[in-house]
């Protein structure tokens, strides 16, 4: 990319069946507008940054659009040399239904400290070796 965007916009689209009032157009809302691209991070509060008059529900079919704020929504599907092209990421919403999701997890628990499993290549090598031995015995 010749010129990274100085600002990006994050825009959401509700799943199929949710339309702009009085139309059959998809229902969009802004998650973040003119976010500095230098930040490289954005925290999305799904309670306050949802479509006006709607609440986000668990399920599939949501879409996240990321585009260059300098180009704008209407021009973001056109290809401009060296500029950010509109990017769409489908996603789902999940509700854990737990108030405290870490209940029962020991304070010093480290999920990365578990014993290492046998690698796929070692398993494949063992299977090839075993097959070769069986073929020698049959022959």
């Amino acid at each position: 990319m010749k010129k990274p965007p100085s600002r990006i916009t994050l825009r959401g689209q509700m799943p199929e069946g949710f339309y702009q009032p009085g139309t059959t157009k998809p229902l969009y809302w802004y998650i973040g507008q003119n976010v500095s691209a230098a930040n490289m991070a954005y925290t999305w509060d799904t309670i306050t940054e949802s479509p006006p008059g709607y609440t986000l529900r668990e399920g599939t079919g949501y879409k996240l659009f990321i585009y260059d704020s300098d180009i704008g929504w209407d021009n973001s599907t056109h290809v401009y040399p060296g500029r950010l092209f509109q990017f769409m990421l489908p996603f789902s919403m999940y509700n854990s239904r737990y108030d405290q999701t870490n209940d029962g997890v020991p304070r010093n628990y480290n999920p990365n400290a578990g014993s290492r499993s046998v690698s796929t290549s070692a398993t494949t090598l063992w299977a090839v070796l075993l097959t070769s031995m069986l073929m020698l015995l049959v022959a």
Side-chain angles (χ1 to χ4, degrees), residues 28-105:
Y28 295 102
W29 80 99
Y30 289 103
I31 297 168
Q33 288 182 284
N34 299 319
V35 177
S36 172
N39 288 346
M40 301 296 286
Y42 183 80
T43 302
W44 175 19
D45 184 343
T46 57
I47 302 297
T48 60
E49 295 162 352
S50 61
Y54 294 86
T55 54
L56 301 173
R57 302 176 187 172
E58 65 182 309
T60 60
Y62 289 93
K63 295 177 183 175
L64 174 67
F65 293 89
I66 302 171
Y67 60 93
D68 189 331
S69 298
D70 295 331
I71 295 173
W73 174 256
D74 292 335
N75 293 321
S76 64
T77 57
H78 301 288
V79 178
Y80 294 96
R83 300 302 295 250
L84 177 65
F85 185 71
Q86 183 186 97
F87 176 76
M88 188 273 295
L89 175 72
F91 70 97
S92 301
M93 296 292 286
Y94 174 75
N95 183 351
S96 68
R97 295 194 183 9
Y98 292 106
D99 292 330
Q100 296 178 335
T101 57
N102 288 330
D103 283 353
V105 177

